[in-house]
Amino acid sequence: MASSSSSSTPLLYSCIAYNTTILTEHTASASSQASSLASLVLPKIPHSTPTKQTYTHGAHNIHYIASAPSEHPASAASAGGLSYLVICKAELGRRIPFGYLISIKDAFLKQYDPQTTDFASLPPYGAAAFNTTLKRLMHEQGATEAGQNDAIKTAQREIASVREVMEENIERVLERGERIDLLVDKTDRLGGSARDFRVRSRGLRRRMWWKNVRLMALLCAVVVFLIYLFVGFGCGLPGELCASLRCCWGEMDMG
């Protein structure tokens, strides 16, 4: 069941729920009727991805952190259905409420180990033993200056952590872009080399063709010259070649 107190704190109501089943809650001001807003908000909270969101209702802000199964290993998947919610006065801003939500999330998962607790099987108010912790943290981080500073520091650490993750993701994207640029540059160089190779290949083929033509012409000249020599040796010296040929033809006629 819910617990309540009359201590003055801008954090009016807080609960931890599995989907729409409230497991633990604390109401700091019953007269504010803030607890009735939780039943309106919880059915609207998605758990497909980790979410931090704020709703505005009159003079109140409703802040929540929703877990998702992707945040937890398969053995602790039920923790992905948890929502951590706080309703507070709008003038409190966002840093203190979200710092408080991070604090109760850490404390709750420390007390109820996700590896050994099946939150889906817990009945309504099945984690009511955590009510006193909600009450203490709501008072400390909502009503005391030191607690508010702690909540702000917690939120700042969370923001810094998220910023680091974003910077790492941006660096990976930029690095991937540089690698793509290098790959494109290498591809362009390979394309240019291929074009140069084709040009050089065509030039080489033409040179080899002309070389073969010259070689064939030289070979034909050598063959003609050798035939000339054979005929010359067979019929006489080159100067007497014609007379020898006439002599040979005459003898053939007489025969």
Side-chain angles (χ1 to χ4, degrees), residues 174-194:
L174 293 176
E175 182 181 359
R176 187 160 57 247
E178 291 176 358
R179 291 178 179 175
I180 292 174
D181 291 339
L182 290 174
L183 179 60
V184 171
D185 183 59
K186 289 180 180 179
T187 302
D188 291 340
R189 289 202 300 269
L190 288 174
S193 299

Side-chain angles (χ1 to χ4, degrees), residues 17-254:
Y18 179 81
N19 292 330
T20 59
T21 302
I22 296 176
L23 302 178
T24 176
E25 66 177 1
H26 176 71
T27 301
S29 176
S31 61
S32 68
Q33 298 181 346
S35 59
S36 62
L37 297 176
S39 60
L40 301 176
V41 175
L42 289 175
K44 300 179 181 180
I45 297 178
H47 293 276
S48 55
T49 58
T51 307
K52 295 180 177 67
Q53 188 62 267
T54 298
Y55 288 111
T56 300
H57 183 81
H60 299 149
N61 282 346
I62 306 167
H63 310 277
Y64 71 82
I65 294 177
S67 295
S70 59
E71 293 183 283
H72 304 277
S75 57
S78 66
L82 293 173
S83 299
Y84 309 87
L85 183 144
V86 64
I87 299 174
C88 58
K89 297 177 181 178
E91 63 265 20
L92 191 61
R94 290 171 55 89
R95 289 190 298 175
I96 292 176
F98 277 105
Y100 161 78
L101 289 176
I102 295 169
S103 296
I104 66 170
K105 177 181 178 180
D106 293 341
F108 183 76
L109 295 180
K110 184 177 180 180
Q111 183 170 335
Y112 295 89
D113 187 359
Q115 298 287 344
T116 58
T117 305
D118 183 9
F119 298 103
S121 65
L122 293 179
Y125 306 104
F130 195 75
N131 289 5
T132 55
T133 303
L134 283 180
K135 178 181 177 180
R136 176 177 58 81
L137 290 175
M138 286 178 69
H139 177 72
E140 289 179 357
Q141 298 192 4
T144 66
E145 182 177 355
Q148 290 181 354
N149 291 334
D150 288 341
I152 291 174
K153 290 178 182 178
T154 300
Q156 289 174 339
R157 285 195 300 269
E158 181 74 7
I159 293 171
S161 176
V162 172
R163 184 183 295 115
E164 289 178 1
V165 173
M166 292 179 63
E167 289 175 352
E168 290 178 1
N169 292 336
I170 292 172
E171 289 176 359
R172 291 194 185 99
V173 171
L174 293 176
E175 182 181 359
R176 187 160 57 247
E178 291 176 358
R179 291 178 179 175
I180 292 174
D181 291 339
L182 290 174
L183 179 60
V184 171
D185 183 59
K186 289 180 180 179
T187 302
D188 291 340
R189 289 202 300 269
L190 288 174
S193 299
R195 288 191 295 271
D196 294 340
F197 179 76
R198 287 195 297 270
V199 172
R200 289 196 297 269
S201 298
R202 287 195 294 267
L204 179 61
R205 284 198 298 271
R206 283 195 291 268
R207 289 195 297 272
M208 292 300 295
W209 185 83
W210 281 112
K211 185 177 180 180
N212 290 334
V213 169
R214 289 194 296 270
L215 183 60
M216 292 299 296
L218 179 61
L219 183 60
C220 291
V222 170
V223 171
V224 171
F225 180 72
L226 290 176
I227 293 174
Y228 174 78
L229 290 179
F230 289 147
V231 172
F233 284 125
C235 299
L237 294 174
E240 302 172 350
L241 181 59
C242 292
S244 299
L245 289 172
R246 285 195 297 271
C247 180
C248 291
W249 281 107
E251 291 179 355
M252 291 175 62
D253 291 339
M254 291 177 64

